[in-house]
Amino acid sequence: MYGPEQGSENLRTELAHFLSETRGLNVGAEDILITKGVQMALYLTAQILLTKNDTVIVGEPGYSGANEIFEQAGAKLELVPVDDDGIDLDVVESICKKKKIRLLYVIPHHHTPTTVTLSSERRMRLLEMAKKYQFAIIEDDYDFDFQYSSSPVLPLASANYYGSVIYVGSFCKTIAPGIRIGFMVAPSNFLLQATKLRKLIDRQGEHLLEEAMANLLKNGDISRHLKKANKLYHERRDELCRLLHEHLADEVSFKVPEGGFAIWINYINKHDPVRVAENAAELGLTVSNGIDYYHDKNFKNYAVRLGFASLNTTELKDAVDLLKKAIKKCYN
Ligand SMILES: Cc1ncc(COP(=O)(O)O)c(C=O)c1O
Protein backbone atom coordinates (compact mmCIF):
# COMPACT_ATOMS: atom_id res chain seq x y z
CA MET A 1 0.00 0.00 0.00
CA TYR A 2 1.01 3.59 -0.55
CA GLY A 3 1.55 5.71 2.54
CA PRO A 4 -0.22 8.97 3.41
CA GLU A 5 0.40 11.75 0.88
CA GLN A 6 0.68 14.27 3.75
CA GLY A 7 3.80 12.39 4.90
CA SER A 8 4.55 9.75 7.53
CA GLU A 9 2.33 10.18 10.58
CA ASN A 10 5.24 9.28 12.87
CA LEU A 11 7.38 11.97 11.31
CA ARG A 12 4.66 14.61 11.49
CA THR A 13 4.01 13.74 15.15
CA GLU A 14 7.72 13.97 16.07
CA LEU A 15 8.15 17.09 13.97
CA ALA A 16 5.22 18.78 15.72
CA HIS A 17 7.03 18.21 19.09
CA PHE A 18 10.31 19.44 17.63
CA LEU A 19 8.75 22.60 16.15
CA SER A 20 7.01 23.32 19.41
CA GLU A 21 10.15 22.81 21.54
CA THR A 22 12.58 24.65 19.27
CA ARG A 23 10.42 27.42 17.77
CA GLY A 24 7.31 27.79 19.93
CA LEU A 25 5.02 26.61 17.10
CA ASN A 26 1.80 25.34 18.59
CA VAL A 27 1.01 22.65 15.99
CA GLY A 28 -0.04 19.02 15.72
CA ALA A 29 0.71 16.34 13.14
CA GLU A 30 -2.42 17.33 11.21
CA ASP A 31 -1.06 20.86 10.61
CA ILE A 32 2.05 19.65 8.76
CA LEU A 33 2.68 18.58 5.16
CA ILE A 34 5.99 16.85 4.43
CA THR A 35 7.60 18.15 1.22
CA LYS A 36 10.81 17.59 -0.72
CA GLY A 37 12.71 20.41 0.91
CA VAL A 38 11.69 24.03 1.21
CA GLN A 39 11.82 24.28 -2.54
CA MET A 40 8.78 22.05 -3.09
CA ALA A 41 6.87 23.83 -0.31
CA LEU A 42 7.49 27.17 -2.05
CA TYR A 43 6.43 25.75 -5.39
CA LEU A 44 3.18 24.27 -4.03
CA THR A 45 2.33 27.53 -2.25
CA ALA A 46 2.94 29.63 -5.35
CA GLN A 47 0.88 27.34 -7.56
CA ILE A 48 -2.08 27.44 -5.16
CA LEU A 49 -2.03 31.10 -4.20
CA LEU A 50 -0.98 32.93 -7.32
CA THR A 51 -2.69 33.71 -10.56
CA LYS A 52 -1.31 35.67 -13.50
CA ASN A 53 -0.23 39.24 -12.67
CA ASP A 54 -0.70 38.88 -8.90
CA THR A 55 1.83 40.96 -6.99
CA VAL A 56 4.37 39.29 -4.70
CA ILE A 57 6.69 41.29 -2.45
CA VAL A 58 10.21 39.91 -2.09
CA GLY A 59 13.40 41.24 -0.52
CA GLU A 60 16.13 42.71 -2.73
CA PRO A 61 18.72 41.21 -2.63
CA GLY A 62 17.00 37.88 -2.11
CA TYR A 63 16.71 34.19 -2.86
CA SER A 64 16.50 33.71 -6.64
CA GLY A 65 15.19 30.15 -6.16
CA ALA A 66 11.99 31.64 -4.71
CA ASN A 67 11.73 34.60 -7.09
CA GLU A 68 11.82 32.25 -10.08
CA ILE A 69 9.02 30.13 -8.60
CA PHE A 70 6.77 33.18 -8.15
CA GLU A 71 7.46 34.43 -11.67
CA GLN A 72 6.87 30.98 -13.10
CA ALA A 73 3.43 31.07 -11.46
CA GLY A 74 2.73 34.30 -13.39
CA ALA A 75 3.30 36.80 -10.56
CA LYS A 76 4.88 40.22 -10.79
CA LEU A 77 7.57 40.91 -8.20
CA GLU A 78 7.83 44.08 -6.12
CA LEU A 79 11.41 44.34 -4.88
CA VAL A 80 11.81 45.79 -1.38
CA PRO A 81 15.20 46.72 0.10
CA VAL A 82 16.59 44.67 2.99
CA ASP A 83 18.48 46.53 5.72
CA ASP A 84 20.15 45.42 8.96
CA ASP A 85 16.74 44.63 10.53
CA GLY A 86 15.39 42.72 7.55
CA ILE A 87 12.89 43.69 4.85
CA ASP A 88 11.96 47.41 4.95
CA LEU A 89 8.35 47.57 6.11
CA ASP A 90 7.89 51.28 5.37
CA VAL A 91 8.45 50.45 1.71
CA VAL A 92 6.14 47.43 2.01
CA GLU A 93 3.41 49.64 3.49
CA SER A 94 3.76 52.26 0.76
CA ILE A 95 3.32 49.52 -1.88
CA CYS A 96 0.27 48.10 -0.05
CA LYS A 97 -1.34 51.54 -0.09
CA LYS A 98 -1.01 51.70 -3.86
CA LYS A 99 -1.92 48.19 -5.00
CA LYS A 100 -3.30 44.84 -3.94
CA ILE A 101 -0.60 42.48 -2.68
CA ARG A 102 -1.29 38.76 -2.82
CA LEU A 103 1.79 37.44 -1.07
CA LEU A 104 4.91 38.54 0.78
CA TYR A 105 7.92 36.23 0.93
CA VAL A 106 10.22 36.66 3.91
CA ILE A 107 13.31 34.86 5.18
CA PRO A 108 13.23 35.83 8.88
CA HIS A 109 16.42 34.19 10.14
CA HIS A 110 19.78 34.76 8.45
CA HIS A 111 18.21 36.07 5.28
CA THR A 112 19.64 34.75 2.01
CA PRO A 113 21.92 36.37 0.97
CA THR A 114 22.50 39.18 3.52
CA THR A 115 22.33 36.97 6.70
CA VAL A 116 20.31 39.62 8.60
CA THR A 117 17.53 38.63 11.01
CA LEU A 118 14.11 40.27 10.90
CA SER A 119 13.76 42.25 14.15
CA SER A 120 11.00 41.42 16.68
CA GLU A 121 9.34 44.81 16.09
CA ARG A 122 9.17 44.20 12.36
CA ARG A 123 7.74 40.72 12.88
CA MET A 124 4.80 42.06 14.84
CA ARG A 125 4.28 44.95 12.41
CA LEU A 126 4.38 42.57 9.45
CA LEU A 127 1.66 40.38 10.98
CA GLU A 128 -0.49 43.45 11.58
CA MET A 129 0.07 44.60 8.00
CA ALA A 130 -0.84 41.17 6.60
CA LYS A 131 -4.16 41.45 8.42
CA LYS A 132 -4.79 45.07 7.43
CA TYR A 133 -3.91 44.67 3.73
CA GLN A 134 -5.08 41.04 3.45
CA PHE A 135 -1.98 39.39 2.04
CA ALA A 136 -0.48 35.99 2.79
CA ILE A 137 3.05 35.57 4.12
CA ILE A 138 5.45 32.77 3.24
CA GLU A 139 7.92 32.49 6.10
CA ASP A 140 10.95 30.61 4.73
CA ASP A 141 12.76 29.51 7.88
CA TYR A 142 15.24 27.24 6.07
CA ASP A 143 17.98 28.04 8.56
CA PHE A 144 16.32 28.39 11.99
CA ASP A 145 18.27 25.57 13.64
CA PHE A 146 21.62 27.33 13.39
CA GLN A 147 21.62 30.19 15.90
CA TYR A 148 24.72 31.38 17.76
CA SER A 149 23.19 34.04 20.00
CA SER A 150 21.60 32.99 23.28
CA SER A 151 17.96 33.80 22.63
CA PRO A 152 16.78 33.38 19.05
CA VAL A 153 13.86 35.45 17.82
CA LEU A 154 10.88 33.15 17.31
CA PRO A 155 9.22 32.73 13.90
CA LEU A 156 6.26 34.86 12.82
CA ALA A 157 4.25 31.64 12.69
CA SER A 158 4.62 31.25 16.47
CA ALA A 159 2.61 34.45 16.96
CA ASN A 160 0.31 33.94 14.01
CA TYR A 161 -3.05 35.14 15.34
CA TYR A 162 -4.65 35.65 11.96
CA GLY A 163 -3.74 32.49 10.02
CA SER A 164 -1.92 34.50 7.35
CA VAL A 165 1.45 32.71 7.61
CA ILE A 166 2.57 29.68 5.61
CA TYR A 167 5.64 28.42 7.45
CA VAL A 168 8.20 26.36 5.52
CA GLY A 169 11.38 24.69 6.71
CA SER A 170 13.62 21.75 6.03
CA PHE A 171 16.13 19.16 7.23
CA CYS A 172 18.19 19.81 4.11
CA LYS A 173 20.43 22.15 6.11
CA THR A 174 20.10 20.34 9.43
CA ILE A 175 21.52 17.13 7.99
CA ALA A 176 22.47 17.50 4.32
CA PRO A 177 20.98 18.95 1.12
CA GLY A 178 20.61 15.40 -0.22
CA ILE A 179 18.13 14.56 2.54
CA ARG A 180 15.11 16.00 0.77
CA ILE A 181 12.76 16.32 3.71
CA GLY A 182 11.08 19.65 4.22
CA PHE A 183 7.78 20.72 5.72
CA MET A 184 4.95 23.20 5.45
CA VAL A 185 2.79 24.37 8.36
CA ALA A 186 -0.36 26.16 7.22
CA PRO A 187 -4.07 26.65 7.96
CA SER A 188 -6.01 23.43 7.37
CA ASN A 189 -7.86 24.42 4.17
CA PHE A 190 -4.62 25.55 2.57
CA LEU A 191 -2.76 22.44 3.73
CA LEU A 192 -5.43 20.25 2.16
CA GLN A 193 -5.00 21.94 -1.22
CA ALA A 194 -1.22 21.69 -0.96
CA THR A 195 -1.48 17.99 -0.07
CA LYS A 196 -3.67 17.32 -3.13
CA LEU A 197 -1.25 19.15 -5.41
CA ARG A 198 1.73 17.36 -3.91
CA LYS A 199 0.03 14.06 -4.62
CA LEU A 200 -0.27 15.00 -8.32
CA ILE A 201 3.45 15.75 -8.54
CA ASP A 202 4.76 12.92 -6.37
CA ARG A 203 2.29 10.29 -5.09
CA GLN A 204 3.93 10.30 -1.66
CA GLY A 205 7.27 11.14 -0.04
CA GLU A 206 10.20 8.80 0.67
CA HIS A 207 8.54 6.63 3.26
CA LEU A 208 11.69 4.91 4.58
CA LEU A 209 13.57 8.18 4.87
CA GLU A 210 10.63 9.78 6.65
CA GLU A 211 10.43 6.91 9.16
CA ALA A 212 14.19 7.11 9.74
CA MET A 213 13.89 10.85 10.35
CA ALA A 214 11.02 10.26 12.77
CA ASN A 215 13.29 7.90 14.75
CA LEU A 216 16.16 10.38 14.76
CA LEU A 217 13.85 13.04 16.14
CA LYS A 218 12.27 10.70 18.68
CA ASN A 219 15.47 9.32 20.16
CA GLY A 220 17.07 12.78 20.43
CA ASP A 221 19.75 12.28 17.76
CA ILE A 222 18.71 15.39 15.84
CA SER A 223 18.83 17.56 18.99
CA ARG A 224 22.25 16.16 19.94
CA HIS A 225 23.53 16.66 16.41
CA LEU A 226 22.25 20.25 16.37
CA LYS A 227 23.94 21.00 19.69
CA LYS A 228 27.29 19.75 18.37
CA ALA A 229 26.89 21.33 14.94
CA ASN A 230 25.94 24.71 16.44
CA LYS A 231 29.02 24.69 18.64
CA LEU A 232 31.28 23.81 15.71
CA TYR A 233 29.73 26.29 13.27
CA HIS A 234 29.80 29.01 15.92
CA GLU A 235 33.58 28.44 16.26
CA ARG A 236 33.99 28.43 12.48
CA ARG A 237 32.00 31.66 12.13
CA ASP A 238 34.22 33.31 14.75
CA GLU A 239 37.36 31.98 13.11
CA LEU A 240 36.41 33.26 9.65
CA CYS A 241 35.52 36.69 11.12
CA ARG A 242 38.89 36.77 12.91
CA LEU A 243 40.78 35.82 9.74
CA LEU A 244 38.95 38.42 7.67
CA HIS A 245 39.73 41.11 10.24
CA GLU A 246 43.37 40.05 10.41
CA HIS A 247 44.09 39.59 6.69
CA LEU A 248 41.49 41.47 4.69
CA ALA A 249 40.46 44.44 6.83
CA ASP A 250 41.36 46.88 4.00
CA GLU A 251 39.40 44.93 1.44
CA VAL A 252 36.18 43.62 2.97
CA SER A 253 33.59 44.86 5.45
CA PHE A 254 30.93 42.70 7.10
CA LYS A 255 28.61 42.31 10.07
CA VAL A 256 28.93 39.20 12.21
CA PRO A 257 25.85 37.06 11.45
CA GLU A 258 23.78 35.78 14.39
CA GLY A 259 23.43 32.37 12.80
CA GLY A 260 23.51 30.41 9.58
CA PHE A 261 26.38 29.22 7.42
CA ALA A 262 27.68 32.33 5.73
CA ILE A 263 29.09 35.83 6.13
CA TRP A 264 27.90 38.58 3.78
CA ILE A 265 30.99 40.53 2.80
CA ASN A 266 31.25 43.76 0.87
CA TYR A 267 34.28 44.43 -1.35
CA ILE A 268 35.18 47.87 0.04
CA ASN A 269 37.31 48.81 -2.96
CA LYS A 270 34.50 47.96 -5.36
CA HIS A 271 36.09 44.99 -7.07
CA ASP A 272 33.77 43.20 -9.42
CA PRO A 273 32.70 39.95 -7.65
CA VAL A 274 32.74 38.17 -11.04
CA ARG A 275 36.38 39.09 -11.50
CA VAL A 276 37.29 38.07 -7.93
CA ALA A 277 35.49 34.74 -8.44
CA GLU A 278 37.36 34.10 -11.70
CA ASN A 279 40.70 34.90 -10.08
CA ALA A 280 39.82 32.67 -7.13
CA ALA A 281 38.81 29.79 -9.41
CA GLU A 282 42.23 29.96 -11.10
CA LEU A 283 43.78 29.57 -7.66
CA GLY A 284 41.50 26.63 -6.81
CA LEU A 285 39.03 28.45 -4.56
CA THR A 286 35.29 28.52 -5.23
CA VAL A 287 33.74 31.88 -4.29
CA SER A 288 30.35 33.22 -5.33
CA ASN A 289 30.38 35.68 -8.24
CA GLY A 290 27.40 37.49 -6.72
CA ILE A 291 25.25 37.48 -9.86
CA ASP A 292 22.22 35.69 -8.45
CA TYR A 293 21.60 37.89 -5.42
CA TYR A 294 19.89 40.85 -7.09
CA HIS A 295 16.79 40.43 -9.23
CA ASP A 296 17.51 43.79 -10.83
CA LYS A 297 20.40 42.79 -13.09
CA ASN A 298 21.35 46.45 -13.62
CA PHE A 299 22.24 46.84 -9.95
CA LYS A 300 26.00 47.01 -9.48
CA ASN A 301 26.72 44.61 -6.70
CA TYR A 302 29.95 44.44 -4.68
CA ALA A 303 28.90 41.88 -2.06
CA VAL A 304 29.03 38.08 -1.81
CA ARG A 305 28.32 35.35 0.74
CA LEU A 306 31.25 33.41 2.12
CA GLY A 307 30.25 30.00 3.47
CA PHE A 308 32.20 28.78 6.49
CA ALA A 309 30.30 25.75 7.78
CA SER A 310 32.10 23.03 5.84
CA LEU A 311 35.66 24.30 6.39
CA ASN A 312 37.92 23.42 9.31
CA THR A 313 40.42 25.91 10.79
CA THR A 314 43.21 25.06 8.34
CA GLU A 315 40.87 25.19 5.35
CA LEU A 316 39.46 28.54 6.49
CA LYS A 317 42.98 29.96 6.73
CA ASP A 318 43.86 28.61 3.25
CA ALA A 319 40.61 29.98 1.84
CA VAL A 320 41.25 33.49 3.23
CA ASP A 321 44.83 33.43 1.89
CA LEU A 322 43.55 32.48 -1.58
CA LEU A 323 40.77 35.07 -1.44
CA LYS A 324 43.36 37.71 -0.57
CA LYS A 325 45.45 36.69 -3.59
CA ALA A 326 42.36 36.71 -5.82
CA ILE A 327 41.51 40.25 -4.70
CA LYS A 328 45.10 41.43 -5.15
CA LYS A 329 45.03 40.12 -8.75
CA CYS A 330 42.21 42.59 -9.46
CA TYR A 331 44.79 45.42 -9.16
CA ASN A 332 46.88 43.99 -12.06
C1 LIG B 1 16.34 30.92 1.56
C2 LIG B 1 16.39 29.51 1.06
N1 LIG B 1 15.25 28.84 0.95
C3 LIG B 1 15.23 27.57 0.50
C4 LIG B 1 16.41 26.92 0.12
C5 LIG B 1 16.32 25.50 -0.39
O1 LIG B 1 16.10 24.65 0.66
P1 LIG B 1 15.83 23.09 0.47
O2 LIG B 1 17.14 22.45 0.19
O3 LIG B 1 15.22 22.69 1.76
O4 LIG B 1 14.87 22.93 -0.69
C6 LIG B 1 17.61 27.58 0.24
C7 LIG B 1 18.86 26.94 -0.13
O5 LIG B 1 19.94 27.37 0.14
C8 LIG B 1 17.60 28.91 0.71
O6 LIG B 1 18.73 29.62 0.81
Side-chain angles (χ1 to χ4, degrees), residues 12-302:
R12 286 182 292 116
T13 304
E14 293 306 325
L15 187 54
H17 290 311
F18 179 75
L19 295 178
S20 150
E21 271 169 26
T22 55
R23 297 147 163 78
L25 291 195
N26 185 16
V27 293
E30 66 285 2
D31 304 309
I32 299 173
L33 167 66
I34 302 298
T35 59
K36 282 199 193 282
V38 165
Q39 208 63 26
M40 183 191 243
L42 295 177
Y43 184 82
L44 296 174
T45 305
Q47 290 297 317
I48 294 166
L49 279 186
L50 301 174
T51 43
K52 198 164 167 30
N53 294 330
D54 275 349
T55 302
V56 178
I57 293 184
V58 298
E60 173 83 333
Y63 177 49
S64 60
N67 293 349
E68 284 172 32
I69 282 178
F70 303 138
E71 287 193 316
Q72 203 258 355
K76 298 260 181 291
L77 301 186
E78 278 285 347
L79 309 174
V80 171
V82 175
D83 63 27
D84 286 349
D85 287 326
I87 193 162
D88 186 332
L89 294 189
D90 289 337
V91 178
V92 171
E93 183 130 39
S94 69
I95 296 170
C96 290
K97 283 182 179 158
K98 282 191 226 125
K99 57 159 87 167
K100 172 78 191 138
I101 300 302
R102 181 73 181 115
L103 178 67
L104 180 143
Y105 170 72
V106 68
I107 309 167
H109 293 104
H110 335 130
H111 169 257
T112 299
T114 65
T115 79
V116 299
T117 291
L118 189 68
S119 65
S120 309
E121 299 74 44
R122 287 199 190 176
R123 278 161 210 253
M124 296 323 287
R125 186 173 164 206
L126 185 53
L127 285 172
E128 295 295 339
M129 280 168 61
K131 179 172 181 239
K132 183 169 172 193
Y133 297 105
Q134 293 286 298
F135 58 78
I137 297 172
I138 297 183
E139 182 171 28
D140 180 349
D141 216 3
Y142 77 110
D143 209 14
F144 178 90
D145 292 320
F146 297 96
Q147 313 253 8
Y148 314 131
S149 60
S150 46
S151 51
V153 186
L154 293 180
L156 291 163
S158 69
N160 179 18
Y161 331 109
Y162 314 118
S164 47
V165 178
I166 295 154
Y167 182 79
V168 299
S170 151
F171 288 103
C172 304
K173 297 286 184 290
T174 314
I175 302 183
I179 305 290
R180 303 301 303 158
I181 294 190
F183 47 87
M184 174 194 291
V185 175
S188 57
N189 53 351
F190 186 85
L191 206 72
L192 189 66
Q193 291 183 65
T195 305
K196 283 186 179 161
L197 181 58
R198 192 206 188 287
K199 187 179 170 190
L200 294 182
I201 300 169
D202 181 21
R203 174 64 182 72
Q204 66 165 82
E206 310 289 342
H207 194 71
L208 282 176
L209 193 58
E210 290 179 12
E211 290 302 317
M213 186 64 72
N215 280 338
L216 291 174
L217 283 165
K218 188 170 185 175
N219 65 24
D221 277 331
I222 294 287
S223 303
R224 280 190 290 279
H225 163 70
L226 280 174
K227 231 181 181 164
K228 277 196 213 161
N230 265 286
K231 183 170 176 294
L232 185 69
Y233 296 157
H234 190 166
E235 287 165 10
R236 289 179 175 181
R237 178 203 68 176
D238 289 349
E239 181 61 7
L240 180 56
C241 291
R242 193 190 66 73
L243 288 164
L244 291 174
H245 276 306
E246 193 176 314
H247 299 283
L248 280 168
D250 298 342
E251 293 290 353
V252 304
S253 62
F254 60 92
K255 285 220 155 87
V256 180
E258 287 169 18
F261 295 155
I263 297 177
W264 176 242
I265 62 160
N266 203 32
Y267 293 127
I268 303 170
N269 298 317
K270 301 208 179 310
H271 296 302
D272 181 354
V274 174
R275 175 115 194 263
V276 178
E278 282 167 4
N279 293 345
E282 281 169 19
L283 297 164
L285 177 73
T286 305
V287 181
S288 166
N289 59 17
I291 56 176
D292 274 347
Y293 302 138
Y294 285 84
H295 194 71
D296 174 2
K297 294 301 168 210
N298 294 321
F299 181 83
K300 196 67 209 107
N301 171 37
Y302 300 105

